[in-house]
Amino acid sequence: MPLFGNSFSPKKTPPRKWASLSNLHLLDRSTREVELGLEYGTPTMNLAGQSLKFENGHWVSESGGFLGDRRELQRLRKRNQQLEEENNLLRLKVDILLDMLSETTAESHFMEKELEELKQHSQRKK
């Protein structure tokens, strides 16, 4: 008798006689698709009031693309371009202001240092 033997050994289950109790596996492919609902069609979704469907790896409007919104798309692109130009101008202004602040701060420190030296020099003469 093994010291650490397996005292629990369940019986093996017998193999199944039938893979499925359903008759659907006996039907041809087209009938099975209809019965089981395997024909999904194209995925669709409704986003912001616009119905979209997935075709050839891209989401396309069900009305045939975004052609109806071409003017709106051009307006948005123009506005985006204007905002990018404005953003670049503002960044340039910030850089100029930071340079001016650095220059003014450096001049102020230089003047304070020069003033301290003059005070010390005048106290020595007295």
Side-chain angles (χ1 to χ4, degrees):
M1 182 168 174
L3 194 58
F4 297 106
N6 188 2
S7 62
F8 178 75
S9 58
K11 295 180 182 179
K12 293 186 178 179
T13 57
R16 293 184 179 184
K17 294 180 182 176
W18 295 97
S20 172
L21 297 177
S22 172
N23 293 337
L24 292 175
H25 70 280
L26 301 174
L27 299 174
D28 62 342
R29 185 172 190 267
S30 61
T31 310
R32 266 191 307 213
E33 286 178 357
V34 171
E35 289 290 326
L36 297 176
L38 298 178
E39 187 62 36
Y40 298 121
T42 59
T44 59
M45 75 172 166
N46 190 2
L47 184 65
Q50 181 143 5
S51 185
L52 304 168
K53 62 182 175 179
F54 193 75
E55 288 183 349
N56 298 326
H58 299 286
W59 287 99
V60 181
S61 174
E62 285 193 355
S63 62
F66 292 107
L67 299 176
D69 296 330
R70 178 168 272 159
R71 279 181 259 140
E72 179 71 14
L73 187 61
Q74 287 176 347
R75 187 188 68 76
L76 289 174
R77 283 185 180 155
K78 185 176 179 182
R79 180 71 175 143
N80 189 23
Q81 181 68 28
Q82 289 173 348
L83 290 174
E84 284 179 0
E85 290 173 2
E86 183 181 348
N87 192 16
N88 289 337
L89 179 65
L90 291 173
R91 284 184 183 179
L92 180 64
K93 286 182 178 182
V94 166
D95 286 342
I96 291 171
L97 287 172
L98 284 174
D99 289 344
M100 291 171 63
L101 178 64
S102 299
E103 183 180 346
T104 305
T105 304
E107 286 177 3
S108 172
H109 285 298
F110 179 72
M111 291 176 140
E112 285 177 3
K113 187 176 181 182
E114 194 174 281
L115 184 62
E116 286 294 321
E117 288 176 2
L118 288 173
K119 283 182 181 178
Q120 289 176 0
H121 185 67
S122 67
Q123 287 177 355
R124 285 184 205 157
K125 286 187 175 181
K126 289 185 181 180

